[in-house]
Amino acid sequence: DSLQCLLGEPATVAPRRRWPLAVAAVTLAACLTLLACLLLLPVSKSKPFVATLVRADSCKWAGSDLPTKVNSRLTAGTLVLVEGIATLHFESGATVTMEAPTTLEVSDPLHCRLIEGTLTADVPDSAHGFAIQTPDIRVIDLGTRFGVTAGSMGNSQVRVFEGEVEIDGLKNGATKRLTEGN
């Protein structure tokens, strides 16, 4: 360097390396893009499981939008049983057995809708308040075993095998309690 100064030649300065700065800028941009995608894109949430199909004896299904294989975990949806007997175990602990022909809409761990057909429900304390809606009434469990039959046009019937249920939606707007044997 000192020799170049004496000769009057300009000293050459080593160029500064700018690539670490470029790498940092690219990394920061990538992180900001990822963060924006996570915050702005809609998150696809899967439906929660409502029940499990635990038994299916000689079953034929038609028009169901839920899986019909034994041990299938079910989300909200409809089951259409045209032959056989099938049992669902709800996440709340309630067990519902359907006898064909039956169309059942599974709603959540404490609710289902019997569109038409026949079912029995065995409801432990953990599922107290489990409700079955039919075209004309709603049957609410008060700790029991009961059966419900419903036609698509109404005229539902309830039979309490053990315990007590409450029935809403009667023609006069009243509620009614049924106990064992009624």
Side-chain angles (χ1 to χ4, degrees), residues 18 32 49 66 73 111-112 117 130 167:
R18 296 184 187 257
L32 290 174
F49 291 114
L66 293 173
R73 302 222 32 224
H111 299 91
C112 63
F130 183 80
I167 300 174

Side-chain angles (χ1 to χ4, degrees), residues 9-163:
E9 295 179 19
T12 57
V13 178
R16 288 182 57 193
R17 296 191 176 165
R18 296 184 187 257
W19 65 267
L21 184 60
V23 168
V26 168
T27 303
L28 180 61
C31 289
L32 290 174
T33 301
L34 179 61
L35 182 62
C37 287
L38 291 175
L39 293 176
L40 299 176
L41 291 179
V43 177
S44 147
K45 291 184 180 180
S46 61
K47 292 181 184 179
F49 291 114
V50 174
T52 303
L53 178 62
V54 295
R55 189 171 175 187
D57 297 328
S58 304
C59 290
K60 288 189 181 174
W61 306 88
S64 298
D65 60 9
L66 293 173
T68 55
K69 184 179 174 190
V70 173
N71 295 323
S72 293
R73 302 222 32 224
L74 309 175
T75 58
T78 304
L79 290 169
V80 182
L81 180 64
V82 293
E83 276 185 35
I85 296 174
T87 302
L88 306 177
H89 182 76
F90 283 76
E91 295 293 315
S92 63
T95 301
V96 170
T97 300
M98 309 164 39
E99 184 179 338
T102 294
T103 302
L104 182 71
E105 184 179 297
V106 178
S107 304
D108 63 55
L110 286 171
H111 299 91
C112 63
R113 184 170 170 254
L114 179 60
I115 296 168
E116 64 181 329
T118 301
L119 61 76
T120 59
D122 188 356
V123 185
D125 289 341
S126 65
H128 186 81
F130 183 80
I132 298 174
Q133 181 74 44
T134 71
D136 58 339
I137 62 171
R138 185 170 77 134
V139 182
I140 304 157
D141 161 73
L142 300 175
T144 192
R145 281 185 340 110
F146 63 96
V148 181
T149 299
S152 60
M153 303 306 280
N155 198 23
S156 299
Q157 297 177 13
V158 179
R159 174 82 175 180
V160 180
F161 306 121
E162 184 181 310

